[in-house]
Amino acid sequence: MSASLIVGVAFAYLGLLFAIAYWADRRADQGRSVIAHPTIYALSLAVYCTAWTFYGSVGRAAASGFGFLPIYLGPTLVVLLWGSLLVKMVRVSKTQRITSIADFIASRYGKSHLLGGLVTVIAVVGVVPYIALQLKAISSSYHILVQYPQVVTPDPSLHPPFWRDTAFEVALLLAAFTILFGTRHLDASERHEGMVAAIAFESIVKLVAFLAVGLFVTLGLSGGLSGVFERAQEAGEATLLLAPTVGDYRDWFAISLLAALAVMLLPRQFQVGVVENSDERHIRRAIWLFPLYLLLINLFVLPIALAGLHLFPSGSVDADSFMLTIPMSQGSPWLALFVFIGGLSAATGMVIVETIALATMVSNDLLLPSLLRRWRRLPPEADMGRLLLRIRRGAIIGVLLLGYVYYRLAGEAYALVSIGLISFAAVAQFAPVMIASLYWRGGTREGALAGLSAGFAVWIYTLLLPSFAKSGWLPQGFLEVGPWGVALLRPQALFGLEGWNEITHCLFWSLAANVGAFLAVSSLRAPNAIETAQASAFVDVLRQHRPAHLALWRGSAEVAALTALAERFIGAPRARAAFEDYARTRGVASADDLPADAETVHFAETLLSGAIGSASARVMVASVTEEEPLGLDEVLGILDEASQIRAYSRELERKSQELEAATGELRAANLRLQELDHLKDDFMSSVTHELRTPLASIRAFSEILYDDSDIEPAERKRFLGILVSETERLSRLVNQVLDLAKIESGHADWHNEEVELGGIIRQAVESVGQILESKGARVTQSLSVGEANVWADRDRLVQVMVNLLSNAAKFVPADTGLVEVRLEAVAAGWRVCVSDNGQGIAEADLPIVFEKFRQSTGGGDKPVGTGLGLPISRQIVEHFGGRIWAESPPGKGATLCFELPRTAAPSPSSEAES
Amino acid sequence: MSKRILIVDDEPNIVIPLEFLMKREGFEVSVARDGEEGLAAIRAQRPDLVILDVMMPGRSGFEVCEAVRSDAALAGVRILMLTAKGREAEMKKGLALGADAYMAKPFSTHDLVARVKDLLGDTP
Amino acid sequence: MQQSSLINQRLASLFLVGLLVLFSPLLGLFEGAQTWRGIPLLYLYLFGVWALLIAASAWIVRGRRS
């Protein structure tokens, strides 16, 4: 097959990829994204399958059976956890504007430049072998195909000078292609829609190519799947594959674990899985579609391997090349060409995405921070955007050249799969820190640095250096006897762990050192303010709706300075558009009106970190604003505030409700007390008044009589008479006051016995009779009951009757007065009523006649009574369990009644108290 | 020309000794039985001094005092208030309302007479 | 949100099942030269289990269409 045909077809295919990418980018700029589809997302993840999968699986299968499979089983299982794990990663990355795995780790642990740089170095060094692998695959496959119809694998001992080495040319070509692909402009979110579309396309191409060969082998050559195996059985070959085992369980498990970690932590996987993700919901479909892809692309690995072993007796053809050599040997050049394109596709896809991801890390996390530190401020003329792009292009070229160098140094010694596993082990060093960043609030910057350094160092010592040794660039003795002859330090049998597969061995020791150092150093100090804030932002990301660290910024900024900064990095039109959009979300007319507060600063930082990484963005924004560093207490205080406030406000609500209830009760009680107090005051003042008035007249008369001996006898007698009566009045009042006080306070003496009401009435009428007679009033008694017995104090009841009759006597009109006394039986007991035909009582006054010192005036004269008679009567009646009230129908005078219960058999407890 | 004194009190057994005392001193005495009557009598007779009880039904002594003092025409009328309530607050209130003197019951007859003379003494 | 955590729980259980099925000595049963219609059992077992895991996860993830 002519070289020009192969090269022509190759270029045509690459051109097609570029066209697809360009078209997809144009659509994205118009807002009609082609890649916002879950299937596209899942297919883009298939960039995991590189030339290693395409060629190397068959090679591995032919050599050792099922050993190729764990690389795909691991990811199949780990995707089942993506529902939370990957979603969390994506959410964090979107909120923090994270654009690479170095950015992720650096951002989590204090936005540390050093950490980002270290991760970048590990990623570059670790992935370089993997890139070498792709270069090797492309160049080998080219060399094989170009020799058609001869089927010869190239001689690995050939070392052409690099300028004539196909691999070198491939490296340069790929560098140019990648630069065109991914460094046309600087995007604030670091998304490359075109690249994703192209990758999805090439995933389809490589799958179809593989399936084509598989079907060709299975159906075309062997008449069915069973046929493949049966024929091998008959021929007695490939006994390893016919009696398959999984080999050493440790290796089976270790490689699965490695692959499970690599499918997330490889820079290209992080790029397509996290950074390029446009919708979290796409992850759902990827959870089953991606493993399905892996299944399909591995389905025919064994049949192809068997066919190859059958067609090419052992050793004559490198098993890695079976994919090509089988169709070639069967006279299907077009299929072989298609296979070549498939392999090219797989390798190119990997290189493009991986180098773009690495270049982003190198520019944002490795070079830019160092440059910033050196300059201290931006040089006035530089267009930062162009500078960054130039750095990235340089990084792409550099990485590819490094890949070529490794290929020359170590590539021949290894089969493809082994090289790939070396890279897997390198990126596995990110796993402890990554998992911790999402699920553990502890961990410090120094801890992460220590863990990564330890793991990386062990990886170098147990895998990378031995790979050089096995290729002859380092003395073999280093491997066999250990450095300086120390057997315990043999790189692949460290501390006596002999006989382990080198990958498993490295995985064990490197992860042990990594996790150990990470935990140990992290425990040396507590996380500081930024680490704590970021921990919360990462670990709680699924619970938060607003980044917590918004409030953690104090300082002053000018919005103009922020916009200018953004323009320097992502270009004036994009920066202005972003700020205008932001202004609209803040409800402000234009970007000029934005307030220079923490939120705006955070927005600027986020916008920039998409272009230059979060650590650098922070430095840049800090250089423009003046920030006051917050102490840890303040940060924790602010963070705790939110949860505290929530708890307190609930408490507060509860307490305030209780308080209201208590206040209401207190107010009511206070009112009652005040009323009682007023009543007491009123009573006291009334009593003093009532006492002092007769005293005044007594004194006045006494003094007059004493001073003046010339008073006429008649007048003297008059005065003395008033004196005597006032004295009586006074003592009466005093007695009544004391009486009332005694009854009310419960200290009165009651002498209770069975008394007959009729007798009491008669007795009372007799005492009051004189007064009534003197007024010319008549008294009638209608006692309808013979024996009305009550249990009471006789004297007290008489007192009540006398009081009522006196009142009646007070108010009956002269000469025509009529007082009626009635006694009758009622349901409640006995009722006694005293009616007079006086002027009656106003309806409003009916209830108050029984209150102390309330007196109705009887016809304009000063009342004779004390105003305490009725209140005392009420106390007495109520003491015996009865009630007393007044009635006064208009025009019919007034009637005062009381009721008393019938006698019940007395019990000792109802005896009067003393 | 003797001074005229008006006694306003609803308690007859106070009015009698007061009347006796004032007459003994040679004053012309008239009596009112409650606040309304008293006010009307003050306006009609323009006495030189009013002995005014505080606790009365209808208009209290305070009200009468206030009414008199707000009437400029009655400025020459002296007011001596009597009360059975002896609290300081009452005294202050009375004096604030414009009473010229304030005495508590039971009072000393000598003191009362002396005070009346005192109040009337500075007029010719 | 509760829906998705239920889905995640089921997926996590499937993960554990997968671990058991693919990484335990259970595999030892299928090693060796036994074949079914000429195809080695281990091949059928691994790919069959693989396919079932995928089908199960697809069913779980699609189980609730909102």
Side-chain angles (χ1 to χ4, degrees):
Chain A
M1 196 174 299
S2 68
S4 43
L5 175 63
I6 300 173
V7 172
V9 171
F11 269 94
Y13 177 72
L14 292 180
L16 175 62
L17 279 185
F18 190 79
I20 292 174
Y22 189 74
W23 169 75
D25 267 335
R26 283 281 296 276
R27 287 282 295 256
D29 285 340
Q30 290 166 3
R32 291 148 58 203
S33 166
V34 278
I35 69 162
H37 194 279
T39 307
I40 306 279
Y41 175 72
L43 282 176
S44 71
L45 288 170
V47 76
Y48 178 70
C49 302
T50 67
W52 166 0
T53 306
F54 203 78
Y55 294 117
S57 289
V58 173
R60 178 90 161 195
S64 61
F66 277 90
F68 72 96
L69 208 45
I71 298 169
Y72 308 96
L73 292 180
T76 301
L77 284 182
V78 88
V79 301
L80 295 175
L81 301 178
W82 275 3
S84 60
L85 183 59
L86 191 63
V87 168
K88 213 169 182 180
M89 266 196 240
V90 169
R91 183 82 63 90
V92 166
S93 304
K94 297 306 175 202
T95 37
Q96 302 283 322
R97 292 285 207 138
I98 283 166
T99 54
S100 71
I101 201 166
D103 216 17
F104 190 95
I105 294 177
S107 167
R108 167 64 176 84
Y109 292 103
K111 301 199 181 180
S112 157
H113 282 161
L114 191 56
L115 200 48
L118 178 61
V119 172
T120 306
V121 167
I122 296 177
V124 169
V125 173
V127 169
V128 156
Y130 210 152
I131 291 181
L133 185 167
Q134 313 301 319
L135 295 177
K136 170 170 175 163
I138 296 176
S139 103
S140 306
S141 61
Y142 171 77
H143 280 292
I144 292 172
L145 190 60
V146 87
Q147 303 200 23
Y148 181 79
Q150 274 194 337
V151 181
V152 185
T153 43
D155 183 358
S157 60
L158 267 181
H159 294 286
F162 73 87
W163 58 87
R164 277 198 291 178
D165 193 345
T166 321
F168 182 71
E169 288 155 13
V170 170
L172 291 181
L173 183 67
L174 285 178
F177 193 57
T178 308
I179 288 173
L180 265 180
F181 233 96
T183 55
R184 288 200 311 277
H185 58 240
L186 216 48
D187 184 85
S189 66
E190 215 60 73
R191 295 189 59 228
H192 308 82
E193 295 230 349
M195 181 186 77
V196 173
I199 295 301
F201 177 73
E202 70 92 1
S203 292
I204 297 175
V205 168
K206 66 193 176 208
L207 179 66
V208 170
F210 204 97
L211 288 176
V213 175
L215 289 171
F216 177 77
V217 160
T218 317
L219 301 176
L221 290 187
S222 322
L225 200 54
S226 332
V228 180
F229 289 95
E230 277 161 4
R231 187 184 54 197
Q233 186 122 43
E234 280 161 26
E237 63 206 1
T239 43
L240 191 62
L241 289 180
L242 293 177
T245 68
V246 294
D248 193 332
Y249 267 95
R250 281 172 304 184
D251 300 336
W252 179 259
F253 180 75
I255 297 180
S256 299
L257 178 62
L258 265 185
L261 295 176
V263 80
M264 295 183 290
L265 299 175
L266 282 168
R268 72 173 185 276
Q269 296 299 126
F270 192 84
Q271 182 74 25
V272 295
V274 175
V275 178
E276 301 287 345
N277 175 292
S278 56
D279 189 336
E280 277 173 24
R281 293 171 296 179
H282 292 173
I283 296 177
R284 285 260 174 103
R285 189 173 296 195
I287 287 180
W288 61 268
L289 193 55
F290 177 58
L292 180 62
Y293 184 98
L294 297 178
L295 177 90
L296 288 176
I297 209 168
N298 281 287
L299 199 54
F300 292 109
V301 167
L302 271 185
I304 296 173
L306 283 174
L309 287 173
H310 174 74
L311 288 173
F312 308 107
S314 43
S316 58
V317 167
D318 186 357
D320 278 345
S321 67
F322 281 174
M323 286 288 292
L324 266 180
T325 49
I326 293 176
M328 280 169 66
S329 71
Q330 301 301 307
S332 306
W334 292 110
L335 182 58
L337 187 59
F338 187 41
V339 168
F340 171 77
I341 296 295
L344 177 70
S345 195
T348 322
M350 181 276 184
V351 167
I352 291 174
V353 185
E354 202 83 74
T355 42
I356 288 178
L358 285 176
T360 309
M361 279 200 267
V362 166
S363 77
N364 291 0
D365 297 279
L366 192 60
L367 288 184
L368 188 62
S370 329
L371 288 176
L372 287 178
R373 250 200 306 268
R374 253 198 322 139
W375 294 336
R376 286 278 150 201
R377 70 183 75 157
L378 290 178
E381 21 64 44
D383 179 352
M384 293 307 298
R386 291 190 88 88
L387 177 66
L388 276 182
L389 283 177
R390 259 184 272 144
I391 293 178
R392 289 199 190 166
R393 288 170 189 156
I396 289 172
I397 297 173
V399 163
L400 276 161
L401 287 179
L402 272 178
Y404 176 71
V405 166
Y406 185 85
Y407 162 70
R408 288 303 292 258
L409 287 184
E412 294 98 353
Y414 280 86
L416 288 177
V417 174
S418 311
I419 299 179
L421 287 176
I422 294 177
S423 287
F424 273 22
V427 296
Q429 304 311 315
F430 299 146
V433 179
M434 285 289 286
I435 294 173
S437 69
L438 289 171
Y439 293 102
W440 186 40
R441 278 174 217 271
T444 65
R445 189 185 75 122
E446 290 76 31
L449 283 171
L452 285 173
S453 312
F456 187 50
V458 172
W459 174 80
I460 292 177
Y461 188 70
T462 56
L463 266 191
L464 193 66
L465 293 183
S467 74
F468 294 139
K470 289 187 187 175
S471 305
W473 288 92
L474 284 180
Q476 287 276 1
F478 170 63
L479 271 182
E480 286 153 18
V481 191
W484 312 292
V486 181
L488 269 185
L489 290 179
R490 271 174 297 163
Q492 303 210 312
L494 212 49
F495 303 120
L497 223 55
E498 293 212 23
W500 282 40
N501 175 294
E502 61 176 0
I503 302 289
T504 314
H505 174 269
C506 166
L507 181 66
F508 175 77
W509 285 116
S510 60
L511 280 187
N514 190 328
V515 173
F518 179 48
L519 289 178
V521 176
S522 286
S523 64
L524 287 182
R525 69 164 172 86
N528 64 21
I530 296 184
E531 286 163 353
T532 315
Q534 289 300 89
S536 180
F538 275 56
V539 175
D540 293 331
V541 72
L542 292 180
R543 265 180 268 151
Q544 278 176 2
H545 298 284
R546 231 171 120 71
H549 59 272
L550 264 188
L552 295 179
W553 181 90
R554 264 199 320 222
S556 58
E558 277 191 33
V559 179
L562 292 172
T563 17
L565 187 67
E567 285 175 18
R568 300 279 294 271
F569 282 97
I570 62 175
R574 279 167 180 261
R576 232 166 273 148
F579 270 88
E580 289 297 331
D581 276 336
Y582 175 65
R584 239 171 289 134
T585 62
R586 290 284 299 265
V588 155
S590 87
D592 303 317
D593 301 326
L594 278 171
D597 60 6
E599 226 185 288
T600 309
V601 169
H602 172 73
F603 166 75
E605 219 178 275
T606 310
L607 183 65
L608 276 178
S609 64
I612 62 174
S614 57
S616 308
R618 198 171 156 71
V619 170
M620 294 314 307
V621 168
S623 72
V624 161
T625 67
E626 288 159 28
E627 180 171 342
E628 298 163 27
L630 287 170
L632 181 64
D633 305 311
E634 290 161 294
V635 170
L636 286 180
I638 293 171
L639 289 178
D640 281 344
E641 236 176 74
S643 44
Q644 267 183 13
I645 283 173
R646 258 177 272 131
Y648 280 149
S649 69
R650 255 176 275 130
E651 271 282 331
L652 210 63
E653 265 186 57
R654 201 170 43 87
K655 286 278 165 67
S656 75
Q657 279 170 0
E658 289 176 18
L659 200 65
E660 268 188 58
T663 311
E665 283 176 33
L666 273 176
R667 219 174 271 139
N670 196 36
L671 275 174
R672 261 178 270 130
L673 280 174
Q674 280 181 350
E675 275 176 36
L676 288 175
D677 208 38
H678 283 145
L679 284 177
K680 189 203 73 181
D681 280 345
D682 287 344
F683 178 63
M684 285 311 293
S685 61
S686 304
V687 165
T688 48
H689 182 268
E690 295 297 319
L691 288 176
R692 285 196 176 132
T693 305
L695 273 176
S697 91
I698 289 170
R699 180 175 182 178
F701 281 124
S702 304
E703 285 183 2
I704 288 173
L705 287 170
Y706 181 85
D707 286 339
D708 206 335
S709 39
D710 293 337
I711 300 176
E712 282 181 25
E715 191 140 50
R716 183 191 302 248
K717 193 160 184 178
R718 182 175 154 228
F719 284 177
L720 283 168
I722 296 176
L723 199 73
V724 169
S725 74
E726 284 294 275
T727 314
E728 284 174 353
R729 176 177 160 198
L730 186 60
S731 43
R732 221 179 16 247
L733 180 66
V734 169
N735 286 337
Q736 280 199 326
V737 168
L738 288 174
D739 207 18
L740 190 58
K742 270 204 297 189
I743 296 178
E744 275 189 344
S745 68
H747 287 109
D749 291 334
W750 303 91
H751 304 285
N752 293 348
E753 52 181 337
E754 189 164 298
V755 295
E756 204 279 309
L757 282 176
I760 287 176
I761 292 172
R762 280 187 286 273
Q763 186 176 337
V765 168
E766 255 190 66
S767 341
V768 186
Q770 287 190 337
I771 306 172
L772 289 163
E773 266 183 44
S774 64
K775 266 192 113 174
R778 280 195 305 125
V779 183
T780 61
Q781 297 182 34
S782 46
L783 312 176
S784 61
V785 180
E787 290 244 345
N789 289 325
V790 296
W791 185 262
D793 183 316
R794 170 180 291 278
D795 293 333
R796 291 293 188 186
L797 284 186
V798 170
Q799 184 179 355
V800 171
M801 277 311 300
V802 165
N803 176 239
L804 293 180
L805 289 167
S806 314
N807 271 296
K810 218 188 304 179
F811 292 109
V812 291
D815 299 325
T816 54
L818 178 63
V819 178
E820 274 184 70
V821 182
R822 276 197 317 279
L823 168 65
E824 54 194 356
V826 291
W830 311 113
R831 184 186 293 183
V832 176
C833 287
V834 175
S835 311
D836 65 73
N837 60 347
Q839 64 180 48
I841 304 171
E843 181 156 344
D845 292 342
L846 282 174
I848 67 169
V849 290
F850 294 100
E851 306 208 353
K852 299 182 242 265
F853 298 122
R854 293 267 198 269
Q855 297 185 85
S856 332
T857 50
D861 292 325
K862 187 86 163 75
V864 174
T866 56
L868 288 179
L870 282 177
I872 292 178
S873 299
R874 179 165 76 172
Q875 289 288 330
I876 294 171
V877 166
E878 284 178 0
H879 178 86
F880 293 128
R883 64 185 184 105
I884 188 166
W885 70 96
E887 291 165 14
S888 182
K892 297 234 181 94
T895 303
L896 279 79
C897 300
F898 67 90
E899 279 176 8
L900 286 173
R902 280 175 209 161
T903 326
S907 55
S909 60
S910 66
E911 283 293 322
E913 67 279 14
S914 62
Chain B
M1 164 109 154
S2 56
K3 307 286 181 182
R4 278 170 305 165
I5 294 187
L6 174 66
I7 300 174
V8 183
D9 199 325
D10 61 333
E11 177 70 45
N13 291 336
I14 299 283
V15 168
I16 295 170
L18 284 177
E19 203 177 2
F20 181 86
L21 283 169
M22 296 298 121
K23 280 191 178 154
R24 191 179 64 180
E25 298 301 321
F27 298 116
E28 237 180 81
V29 180
S30 50
V31 173
R33 301 283 170 184
D34 66 48
E36 280 296 337
E37 243 187 80
L39 196 57
I42 293 171
R43 291 217 172 96
Q45 301 169 17
R46 304 282 172 97
D48 299 294
L49 181 118
V50 177
I51 298 179
L52 185 57
D53 181 30
V54 170
M55 290 289 286
M56 286 188 289
R59 289 232 190 178
S60 75
F62 289 129
E63 289 173 40
V64 173
C65 181
E66 212 178 329
V68 168
R69 282 294 169 244
S70 62
D71 191 342
L74 303 171
V77 177
R78 298 274 172 272
I79 297 181
L80 182 133
M81 295 191 87
L82 281 180
T83 185
K85 292 191 187 181
R87 292 201 288 202
E88 277 227 21
E90 307 280 325
M91 288 198 180
K92 286 201 177 124
K93 187 173 173 184
L95 292 171
L97 283 173
D100 298 285
Y102 201 100
M103 292 188 76
K105 300 181 197 173
F107 49 82
S108 152
T109 49
H110 299 132
D111 289 344
L112 183 76
V113 168
R115 186 59 72 86
V116 167
K117 283 189 175 162
D118 196 36
L119 284 175
L120 292 173
D122 50 349
T123 55
Chain C
M1 271 307 133
Q2 274 200 343
Q3 276 183 14
S4 67
S5 70
L6 183 62
I7 289 178
N8 287 344
Q9 275 175 33
R10 291 181 176 181
L11 288 175
S13 318
L14 191 62
F15 172 78
L16 293 173
V17 167
L19 276 183
L20 186 71
V21 157
L22 289 173
F23 291 96
S24 65
L26 199 63
L27 284 174
L29 289 177
F30 297 92
E31 292 177 331
Q34 301 129 301
T35 64
W36 175 76
R37 298 232 203 125
I39 304 174
L41 282 185
L42 192 60
Y43 181 88
L44 290 171
Y45 176 76
L46 284 175
F47 278 89
V49 160
W50 195 354
L52 281 177
L53 281 175
I54 292 173
S57 66
W59 182 80
I60 290 174
V61 157
R62 275 192 158 148
R64 301 266 182 276
R65 268 295 168 88
S66 56

